[in-house]
Amino acid sequence: VTEACDEKYISEGSMSGCHVGVKKADGTKCGRCWFYDDQVGKHDETYDGICKRCNNAISSWEEETGNKFSLEVPEEQPEPVA
């Protein structure tokens, strides 16, 4: 843990002596499952912004249902008026 994380993101338990650390995930966030994967967008799949696992799941769903998947981009919400 101490080698993988910046020092400011490491904590040591005072009673247990356990080390806990946090670091930014490697890769790109999948647009469907939000997991980080270093292969998102780097393989020749039907949907570019998602991981291979999600591409496979979508392809199976499309074959079973006959429907076409669309990755919806959320609309921007207007700023609340004070």
Side-chain angles (χ1 to χ4, degrees):
V1 172
T2 57
E3 294 171 7
C5 303
D6 288 338
E7 188 175 328
K8 64 182 177 179
Y9 297 116
I10 297 173
S11 178
E12 180 180 350
S14 58
M15 295 182 71
S16 68
C18 290
H19 288 86
V20 177
V22 178
K23 76 172 210 148
K24 184 175 165 81
D26 295 329
T28 303
K29 184 167 72 171
C30 172
R32 180 175 175 263
C33 70
W34 291 16
F35 282 6
Y36 283 81
D37 186 340
D38 61 356
Q39 295 301 307
V40 170
K42 294 184 180 175
H43 43 76
D44 189 25
E45 296 287 342
T46 306
Y47 300 99
D48 190 42
I50 60 177
C51 67
K52 188 167 186 73
R53 186 183 70 166
C54 286
N55 264 292
N56 292 340
I58 291 168
S59 294
S60 294
W61 176 82
E62 288 177 336
E63 287 176 19
E64 288 179 20
T65 65
N67 294 324
K68 189 73 177 155
F69 177 79
S70 77
L71 189 61
E72 296 180 17
V73 178
E75 295 180 24
E76 283 191 36
Q77 298 294 321
E79 291 291 322
V81 178

